[in-house]
C-alpha cells in the first residue's frame, strides 16, 4: 500500500530510514489465508533478489503443499540462472495440529525447539532477508517454545531481516512486538458445509 502515513513519529529517522526498517509481521486469526499471505510475501522477496527461508512448524514431513514445490522450483531457477534470490524450505516439526500425531508430545516439542534453535542461529548470522515461520504460533501456545525468548530474539535481531509469523492464537507479547498484525476473520468456509479440502485450494 502506497501513500503518505497518517502520523510521522519524532524518532529522529529520515523517511528512507523509517521506510526500510525490518518488520515483524504476524498473520493470525481463525480465517483462511494466513500462510498463503506469508508465502506471497516470500515470492515478493524472491523477486527482489533476497534470500528467503520458509520454516514450517506443524505440518507433517509427509505432507507436501503446493507452495513448497513452487519455492523449490524458484530456488532451482535462481541457482541455474541467477534470477530472483535464494530460497529454502524446511519442515521443523512433525504431525498436524488438529489430527492424531505420530510420536509423543515430547518428541514434537523437542522438534519444535530444535527448529527454533536453528532459526536463532540463522538470525544471528543474518542468513536470510525474509523468514516465514509458518504455524509458529502453535508451539508457542502449547508451551513448547518460550515466548519470552522469541520476543527477545526477534526484538534484538541484527541487520535487516523481515520475519513473518503465521497461526492462530498468537501470544500477546508477540503481537505487542510486531510492526504489522493482520487478523484473518472467517465469514464463511466450505468446511462449514461439510466440504473437505481440495487440490489447488488447500494444497
Amino acid at each position: 500500500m502506497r501513500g503518505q502515513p497518517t502520523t510521522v513519529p519524532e524518532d529522529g529517522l529520515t523517511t528512507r530510514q523509517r521506510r526500510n526498517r525490518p518488520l515483524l509481521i504476524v498473520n493470525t486469526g481463525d480465517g483462511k489465508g494466513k500462510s498463503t499471505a506469508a508465502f506471497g510475501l516470500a515470492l515478493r522477496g524472491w523477486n527482489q533478489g533476497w534470500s528467503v527461508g520458509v520454516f514450517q512448524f506443524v505440518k507433517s514431513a509427509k505432507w507436501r503443499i503446493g507452495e513448497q514445490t513452487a519455492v523449490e522450483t524458484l530456488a532451482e531457477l535462481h541457482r541455474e540462472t541467477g534470477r530472483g534470490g535464494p530460497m529454502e524450505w524446511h519442515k521443523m516439526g512433525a504431525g498436524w495440529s488438529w489430527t492424531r500425531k505420530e510420536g509423543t508430545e515430547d518428541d514434537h516439542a523437542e522438534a519444535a525447539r530444535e527448529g527454533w534453535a536453528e532459526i536463532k542461529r540463522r538470525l544471528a548470522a543474518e542468513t536470510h532477508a525474509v523468514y516465514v515461520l509458518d504455524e509458529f504460533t502453535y508451539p508457542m501456545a502449547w508451551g513448547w517454545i518460550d515466548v519470552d525468548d522469541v520476543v527477545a530474539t526477534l526484538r534484538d535481531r541484527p541487520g535487516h531481516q523481515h520475519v513473518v509469523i503465521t497461526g492462530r492464537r498468537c501470544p500477546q507479547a508477540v503481537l505487542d512486538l510486531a510492526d504489522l498484525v493482520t487478523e484473518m476473520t472467517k465469514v464463511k468456509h466450505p468446511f462449514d458445509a461439510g466440504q473437505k479440502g481440495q487440490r489447488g485450494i488447500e494444497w
Side-chain angles (χ1 to χ4, degrees), residues 117-140:
E118 175 61 22
I119 289 166
K120 289 178 67 174
R121 286 190 287 270
R122 290 174 181 240
L123 287 166
E126 300 182 47
T127 303
H128 304 291
V130 177
Y131 297 73
V132 175
L133 311 188
D134 188 38
E135 299 189 327
F136 187 53
T137 61
Y138 300 110
M140 287 191 287

Side-chain angles (χ1 to χ4, degrees), residues 29-156:
D30 293 332
K32 178 176 169 60
K34 296 178 289 293
S35 297
T36 302
F39 297 144
L41 191 143
L43 294 180
R44 289 180 179 173
W46 176 87
N47 187 58
Q48 294 295 327
W50 297 348
S51 174
V52 178
V54 177
F55 305 87
Q56 279 194 301
F57 271 84
V58 176
K59 292 184 175 69
S60 169
K62 298 177 182 178
W63 185 263
R64 185 181 185 85
I65 65 172
E67 290 93 341
Q68 180 180 353
T69 300
V71 164
E72 291 172 350
T73 300
L74 291 175
E76 183 177 356
L77 180 64
H78 172 73
R79 287 192 298 270
E80 293 178 352
T81 70
R83 291 183 60 187
M87 300 189 88
E88 298 180 26
W89 188 289
H90 301 279
K91 299 199 178 196
M92 314 306 285
W96 288 94
S97 58
W98 53 87
T99 62
R100 183 178 59 83
K101 302 174 185 173
E102 298 175 2
T104 68
E105 182 170 314
D106 287 344
D107 293 334
H108 297 295
E110 182 59 28
R113 284 191 289 269
E114 289 175 0
W116 171 237
E118 175 61 22
I119 289 166
K120 289 178 67 174
R121 286 190 287 270
R122 290 174 181 240
L123 287 166
E126 300 182 47
T127 303
H128 304 291
V130 177
Y131 297 73
V132 175
L133 311 188
D134 188 38
E135 299 189 327
F136 187 53
T137 61
Y138 300 110
M140 287 191 287
W142 296 332
W144 295 354
I145 294 175
D146 183 70
V147 174
D148 291 339
D149 182 42
V150 171
V151 169
T153 300
L154 296 181
R155 181 193 62 218
D156 300 334

